[in-house]
Amino acid sequence: MSKVKIKVVPFSVPICIAGSIINGKINYATYGCFGLLSPRPTTYVYIGSVEPHYTNTGIKENGYFSINIPSVGQMQETDYVGLVSGRDTDKSTVFKSFFGSVDKAPLIEECPINMLCKLTKTVDLPGRDIFISEVLETYVNEECLTDGELDFMKINPLLFTSANGSYWELGKIVGSAYKEGKTMIKR
Ligand SMILES: Cc1cc2nc3c(=O)[nH]c(=O)nc-3n(C[C@H](O)[C@H](O)[C@H](O)COP(=O)(O)O)c2cc1C
């Protein structure tokens, strides 16, 4: 097999929208640098946010923010809140907001999945803050459940590839995690 070295960042991830409050005003911004650090017993997630972003000011100010997973239907709005800064553009009405048990982080009504996050630790990378946070509450649109389970075909999350900056949607299920490899375990 021949390999070539590449310079692009080869990640494809669901995109998210972070919600925060700065000077009493709701703000939303888009993040491809986001992910799960630990699922349980406590769920920890992170977003990596470039320092001049207005969102950073809000997260540092309040210690809370939200992570919202948009579906393909929210592509245009998702891209928009990633193109303009709340520093000079009011993004508070791009989405309908609601609140969980803490009024310091707005959640997005239109996004099928919403997580209320409490800042645990900020890692200071060059030019970028990594906000490590505990997920306090998770909400899902009722119509995105099948028999009480999350149904990702209904959620239809908007995916993002950083290498060429394109948006994608999910394909089909090809296997079951923690099962497919079992046939290779020697008894
Ligand atoms: C698809 C997409 C992905 C993005 N991912 C990130 C990211 O991971 N980290 C980041 O700091 N900015 C990212 N941005 C840029 C911010 O969303 C953008 O600069 C936004 O205007 C910041 O808003 P704010 O100043 O109101 O916080 C992304 C933008 C888009 C469109």
Side-chain angles (χ1 to χ4, degrees):
M1 189 189 296
S2 97
K3 295 267 189 186
V4 286
K5 271 191 192 169
I6 53 170
K7 292 259 190 308
V8 294
V9 181
F11 281 73
S12 44
V13 293
I15 199 89
C16 82
I17 304 168
S20 58
I21 295 186
I22 307 117
N23 296 327
K25 192 170 211 176
I26 288 173
N27 190 50
Y28 293 112
T30 312
Y31 288 89
C33 299
F34 116 91
L36 178 66
L37 285 170
S38 163
R40 62 187 75 82
T42 305
T43 306
Y44 288 104
V45 293
Y46 73 91
I47 60 167
S49 190
V50 174
E51 265 160 14
H53 287 352
Y54 206 40
T55 299
N56 297 34
T57 311
I59 296 175
K60 288 175 181 173
E61 202 173 279
N62 292 298
Y64 289 90
F65 63 101
S66 70
I67 286 181
N68 305 272
I69 310 290
S71 62
V72 170
Q74 285 109 36
M75 179 167 62
Q76 201 178 8
E77 293 84 351
T78 303
D79 204 56
Y80 171 70
V81 297
L83 286 170
V84 296
S85 175
R87 218 176 279 284
D88 31 58
T89 305
D90 179 3
K91 295 187 267 184
S92 65
T93 56
V94 175
F95 301 103
K96 272 188 221 140
S97 302
F98 73 100
F99 288 87
S101 63
V102 175
D103 64 1
K104 291 178 175 174
L107 301 132
I108 300 177
E109 187 103 28
E110 292 89 334
C111 290
I113 296 182
N114 321 96
M115 290 172 261
L116 170 63
C117 303
K118 182 177 185 213
L119 184 63
T120 307
K121 188 176 186 155
T122 304
V123 178
D124 185 13
L125 289 188
R128 198 174 283 263
D129 290 318
I130 309 299
F131 296 115
I132 297 176
S133 311
E134 180 183 343
V135 176
L136 298 184
E137 290 164 11
T138 302
Y139 297 88
V140 61
N141 286 8
E142 209 167 359
E143 71 270 13
C144 293
L145 298 174
T146 297
D147 300 328
E149 304 275 340
L150 287 181
D151 186 327
F152 279 88
M153 292 316 280
K154 291 179 178 171
I155 292 165
N156 199 14
L158 182 63
L159 311 179
F160 169 64
T161 57
S162 52
N164 60 4
S166 46
Y167 294 118
W168 297 69
E169 65 184 336
L170 276 182
K172 57 182 192 318
I173 295 174
V174 294
S176 299
Y178 308 106
K179 272 195 189 158
E180 304 299 333
K182 278 192 176 165
T183 51
M184 294 181 70
I185 297 175
K186 292 198 172 75
R187 289 173 198 278

